[in-house]
């Protein structure tokens, strides 16, 4: 049986080392690094250990180490993939991103951040058609997927889909934030596309979950002063970090954005951000990992695509038992963009028929997710 995102192969996972503390623990407890995979760990101060420990069949992915140590472990049968200099990202990273990583140097302006520099690198290398760059992007995205699978082990994930155009300060934005808060309080892990608009609102709601209800009200009022990431991503992001600084220690959620849409910045309220270069990998991965269902807020072409990207495996049961799908706003999904009649027609007579719902108000979505999920 192949592992699923929610059920990783523990034997393989147990041989992955992703931090210096974990490296030291493995050496102390087992006395060997044979067959281990060491991922993006700085080993420049572990030369003696590397030269005296069995590393047969080990793989070192982007681990800085002294030349003597690298030569020694290679001689003992290990593979060493050296760090790639000059990149604005680590292709071998062992963990998903944090807001602080993506928005480092924000005080100098968004253009100075790691996120903006990675997007600029992507644009340049994509235009060049450099096969080495495309290989690095693929390695990075695979490493991010691996880290995301590890993060979500055992989690009940509800995806929240919606457009990037939803502005702070609107009733719709506040509703999406309350949705994220209620889902988090119900024990779900909220996952979004990680960008602005409805995505940011749902991640904000998850962040607000541990606090009294007044916190979200005050945070929404503060954010409304900078309604959009246009014209200034810097001002938009700074407003989010002001909320985080005023109310530290918020609830955790997941954002899964892409540099393919690099003009849309990631939001700062997702505690864990799995950012990809390949949008197709990102979109399929977000829906596949939403094992407790998906809520679709009003959106345009992208959200319509996501509805049927999610409906297809539910229709064929290619990922197992169908998962709940809740569409919000009857007017939007039956008249403006009538996705609901088609979804209902597809579901008729199949297992997924009892797992879909249309609700008119966003406040009804959490209860619908719980009801459809049994």
């Amino acid at each position: 049986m192949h592992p699923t995102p929610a059920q990783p192969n523990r034997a393989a996972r147990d041989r992955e080392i992703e931090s210096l503390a974990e490296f030291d623990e493995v050496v102390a407890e087992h006395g060997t690094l044979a067959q281990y995979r060491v991922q993006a760990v700085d080993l420049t101060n572990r030369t003696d250990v590397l030269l005296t420990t069995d590393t047969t069949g080990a793989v070192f992915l982007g681990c800085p180490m002294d030349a003597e140590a690298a030569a020694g472990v290679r001689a003992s049968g290990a593979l060493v993939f050296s760090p790639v200099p000059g990149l604005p990202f680590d292709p071998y990273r062992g963990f998903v991103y944090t807001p602080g990583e993506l928005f480092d140097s924000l005080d100098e302006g968004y253009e100075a951040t790691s996120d903006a520099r990675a997007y600029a690198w992507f644009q340049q290398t994509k235009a060049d058609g450099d096969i080495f760059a495309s290989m690095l992007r693929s390695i990075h995205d695979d490493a991010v997927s691996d880290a995301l699978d590890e993060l979500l082990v055992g989690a009940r994930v509800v995806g929240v889909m919606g457009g990037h155009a939803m502005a702070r300060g609107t009733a719709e934005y506040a509703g999406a934030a309350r949705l994220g808060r209620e889902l988090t309080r119900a024990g779900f892990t909220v996952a979004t596309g990680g960008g602005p608009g409805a995505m940011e609102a749902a991640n904000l709601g998850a962040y607000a979950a541990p606090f009294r209800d007044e916190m979200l009200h005050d945070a929404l009022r503060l954010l409304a002063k900078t309604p959009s990431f246009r014209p200034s991503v810097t001002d938009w992001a700074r407003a989010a970090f002001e909320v985080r600084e005023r109310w530290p220690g918020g609830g955790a959620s997941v954002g899964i954005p892409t540099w393919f849409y690099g003009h849309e910045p990631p939001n700062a309220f997702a505690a864990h951000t799995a950012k990809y270069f390949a949008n197709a990998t990102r979109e399929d991965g977000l829906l596949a990992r939403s094992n407790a269902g998906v809520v679709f807020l009003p959106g345009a072409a992208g959200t319509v695509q996501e509805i049927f990207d999610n409906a297809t495996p539910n229709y064929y049961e290619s990922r197992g038992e169908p998962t709940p799908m809740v569409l919000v706003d009857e007017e939007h999904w039956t008249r403006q963009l009538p996705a609901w009649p088609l979804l209902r027609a597809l579901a008729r007579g199949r297992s997924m028929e009892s797992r879909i719902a249309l609700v008119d108000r966003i406040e009804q979505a959490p209860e619908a997710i719980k009801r459809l999920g049994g």
Side-chain angles (χ1 to χ4, degrees):
M1 176 179 172
H2 294 292
T4 66
Q7 297 173 313
N9 187 317
R10 285 312 320 163
R13 293 280 187 249
D14 288 345
R15 291 198 169 271
E16 292 182 7
I17 297 174
E18 295 158 337
S19 69
L20 190 58
E22 193 176 2
F23 177 89
D24 291 339
E25 181 181 346
V26 167
V27 172
E29 290 189 5
H30 303 289
T32 181
L33 292 167
Q35 307 301 324
Y36 277 86
R37 280 76 176 104
V38 189
Q39 192 172 348
V41 179
D42 189 342
L43 299 175
T44 51
N45 293 322
R46 296 296 186 273
T47 298
D48 290 344
V49 174
L50 291 169
L51 294 177
T52 58
T53 305
D54 182 11
T55 56
T56 305
V59 180
F60 295 88
L61 298 166
C63 298
M65 63 179 73
D66 289 344
E68 180 186 7
V73 297
R74 284 191 177 104
S76 71
L79 285 175
V80 178
F81 294 83
S82 301
V84 182
L87 292 178
F89 64 94
D90 182 357
Y92 301 110
R93 62 179 300 113
F95 304 97
V96 297
Y97 293 93
T98 65
E101 283 182 286
L102 290 172
F103 286 101
D104 65 336
S105 303
L106 183 63
D107 56 336
E108 301 172 26
Y110 173 69
E111 294 73 16
T113 66
S114 294
D115 185 67
R117 289 186 292 111
Y119 177 56
W121 177 90
F122 176 40
Q123 291 295 97
Q124 177 185 344
T125 57
K126 185 175 64 172
D128 293 344
D130 183 357
I131 189 171
F132 180 57
S134 66
M135 182 191 74
L136 292 174
R137 294 195 296 268
S138 296
I139 292 172
H140 169 274
D141 286 2
D142 189 68
V144 167
S145 289
D146 182 71
L148 186 58
D149 288 343
E150 293 177 355
L151 175 72
L152 295 178
V153 170
R156 295 187 299 156
V157 181
V158 173
V160 178
M161 309 297 164
H164 69 274
M166 185 183 290
R168 295 168 173 174
T170 63
E172 292 78 12
Y173 185 96
R178 290 193 296 271
L179 170 65
R181 183 179 64 183
E182 296 314 307
L183 288 170
T184 302
R185 287 177 174 177
F188 296 108
T189 296
V190 169
T192 77
M199 297 171 279
E200 181 189 54
N203 289 128
L204 166 64
Y207 188 86
F211 301 101
R212 296 171 63 91
D213 289 356
E214 291 80 2
M215 175 269 175
L216 181 57
H217 177 269
D218 292 342
L220 289 168
R221 186 174 56 188
L222 191 155
L223 292 170
K225 298 175 183 177
T226 315
S228 173
F229 63 94
R230 296 187 178 100
S232 172
V233 175
T234 302
D235 292 345
W236 175 83
R238 282 175 175 165
F241 278 100
E242 183 178 346
V243 170
R244 292 179 59 94
E245 290 163 9
R246 187 172 298 189
W247 294 281
S253 64
V254 175
I256 307 181
T258 173
W259 280 294
F260 184 82
Y261 297 132
H263 58 286
E264 297 179 16
N267 76 72
F269 293 111
H272 311 287
T273 299
K275 191 154 191 179
Y276 289 88
F277 288 105
N279 185 49
T281 304
R282 167 253 191 170
E283 285 189 342
D284 184 68
L286 172 55
L287 293 169
R289 289 173 176 85
S290 298
N291 55 14
V294 182
V295 177
F296 297 92
L297 301 177
T303 310
V304 172
Q305 177 183 342
E306 288 162 347
I307 289 173
F308 293 103
D309 280 347
N310 196 45
T312 300
N314 280 345
Y315 180 90
Y316 290 111
E317 299 187 42
S318 55
R319 293 180 183 145
E321 187 177 346
T323 52
M325 298 178 64
V326 177
L327 278 60
V328 176
D329 192 328
E330 183 175 346
E331 167 71 20
H332 187 84
W333 294 121
T334 61
R335 295 176 181 83
Q336 295 181 33
L337 294 174
W340 172 250
L342 178 53
L343 180 62
R344 188 172 55 180
L346 279 173
R348 190 172 297 121
R350 306 186 74 88
S351 298
M352 68 179 288
E353 186 172 18
S354 64
R355 297 297 179 91
I356 65 172
L358 173 66
V359 299
D360 198 43
R361 294 182 295 106
I362 204 166
E363 290 78 11
Q364 298 169 308
E367 184 57 39
I369 281 284
K370 289 185 280 188
R371 172 172 50 81
L372 296 179

